[in-house]
Every structure is written in structure tokens, then in C-alpha cells.
Amino acid sequence: MIDPDGYRPNVGIILMRDDGRLFWARRVHRDGWQFPQGGMNSDETPLEAMYRELQEETGLLPEHVELMHSTPGWLRYRLPSRCVRQGEKPRCIGQKQVWFLLRLVACESNVRLDANEKPEFDRFRWVDYWYPLEHVVHFKRDVYTRALCHVAPAARILAGNEAVPEPTFPAPLGEARNRRQA
């Protein structure tokens, strides 16, 4: 399913413990680390897709998490031209994502990367809130920045200002514009 602009609908998941640390996972057979994410089926809402992807990629069920916040709409990123499949119709040039902040309310032992026949991840660890911005693949960096900045106030309510400090980098364009209008 690709929209008329060439973006595939997708969901992103920021899974957080009470101490403010985030679930960070390594892709199977790759050196890339990222948050869980995945495409939406045509008959799914973003929320339904998020819970399906959560279970497929982490083994966690809805009762293992608490929904804390989400982005109000789509955040987009373009794929590098080397990643765009040529000759496909419709042509996918990137992803548009709704991001969800989830609080882990179950034991960490409920995380099962092998819950799916074809696992997405082979390792995970818990990282500081802003760590992913320096370590995600470059073409996802802006969307990660916008997602983390958007959900940071809700994350601070749970984990506190020390665990989720104010960012030490300029706010993404959309965030800066929203702050001026408030």
C-alpha cells in the first residue's frame, strides 16, 4: 500500500521503561539499530498496526504496555535513491509514520525477539532517551528527532527531567514553528 505521493504508511514504536530508557534493537543480519516499526495493512488503523508490529517484533502483547502518547499525524522520510526500487509501480520513495510512545508495564523477560517466524531483530538493549539520534541510519535521523521531540513531554511526566532532558540541539523545523505559535 503506497499513497499517491509515493509514501508507504507505517508505524513507529518508542518503547520506554519507567527510568526513561528506550528499547533499541539490532536488525537481523545487519549492523543497523532502530526502534520497532512496520508497514500498515490496508484494513488497519495505525493503532491496530502498532499492536501487531509490537507483537511481531518484540513478542509483547497489548497488556504488556501502556500507550502514553502518539504523533497527531504522519511524519515522513525519504529513502536514499539507492534504496528506491526502480521499475516498481507504484514507486515507493519513502515512509510516512505515526509514532507511538509506549510504557513497558510487564517484566522485560516478556520481550521475545523470536516470537515471529521471521524475526526482525536479533539483539536489543536499553538506551538513554536521545541516544538513537546519533546512532540511527542517517536518512531516518530527522523523523526520529521529530518523533522523540513530540513525545518527550509525555516521557518526562513518566520518567522525569533527568531521564528525558531538554535536547541540546536545535528543534526540528516543525517543532520550532509550533513552539512559536503557542
Side-chain angles (χ1 to χ4, degrees):
M1 186 168 82
I2 298 170
D3 76 9
D5 295 325
Y7 289 89
R8 180 174 164 238
N10 192 286
V11 294
I13 300 169
I14 302 167
L15 178 62
M16 188 175 80
R17 295 190 314 201
D18 286 352
D19 64 2
R21 293 178 64 82
L22 305 179
F23 179 90
W24 190 237
R26 186 177 76 175
R27 301 281 311 263
V28 170
H29 307 301
R30 297 190 187 157
D31 196 29
W33 292 71
Q34 67 177 51
F35 291 135
Q37 69 174 60
M40 292 176 55
N41 296 326
S42 59
D43 63 343
E44 286 180 313
T45 66
L47 187 66
E48 291 167 337
M50 181 273 294
Y51 282 121
R52 178 183 50 75
E53 287 293 333
L54 179 71
Q55 184 173 3
E56 287 177 5
E57 296 189 2
T58 69
L60 295 173
L61 302 173
E63 58 266 22
H64 295 142
V65 297
E66 177 186 356
L67 176 59
M68 301 296 295
H69 201 50
S70 65
T71 56
W74 301 107
L75 301 180
R76 289 174 170 76
Y77 71 85
R78 288 186 68 111
L79 295 167
S81 55
R82 64 180 163 70
C83 296
V84 175
R85 294 182 185 147
Q86 302 302 318
E88 281 193 5
K89 298 285 184 196
R91 188 167 164 222
C92 178
I93 63 165
Q95 307 232 17
K96 64 180 187 180
Q97 300 174 311
V98 174
W99 282 86
F100 295 88
L101 173 65
L102 303 178
R103 173 184 172 222
L104 180 65
V105 296
C107 294
E108 186 177 314
S109 61
N110 286 293
V111 174
R112 297 233 6 251
L113 300 182
D114 62 353
N116 193 349
E117 284 181 23
K118 193 173 178 190
E120 294 276 337
F121 303 122
D122 61 9
R123 288 182 50 202
F124 76 94
R125 62 183 179 220
W126 297 94
V127 298
D128 289 336
Y129 192 84
W130 299 110
Y131 175 92
L133 301 185
E134 294 297 319
H135 302 295
V136 71
V137 65
H138 75 283
F139 63 89
K140 292 183 182 180
R141 195 160 290 151
D142 183 60
V143 78
Y144 271 50
T145 302
R146 288 183 284 146
L148 286 169
C149 284
H150 184 80
V151 303
R156 277 187 203 100
I157 290 170
L158 175 65
N161 292 331
E162 285 185 28
V164 186
E166 288 294 328
T168 57
F169 51 85
L173 229 101
E175 294 292 319
R177 192 174 314 124
N178 290 342
R179 286 188 192 140
R180 282 196 303 269
Q181 292 173 351

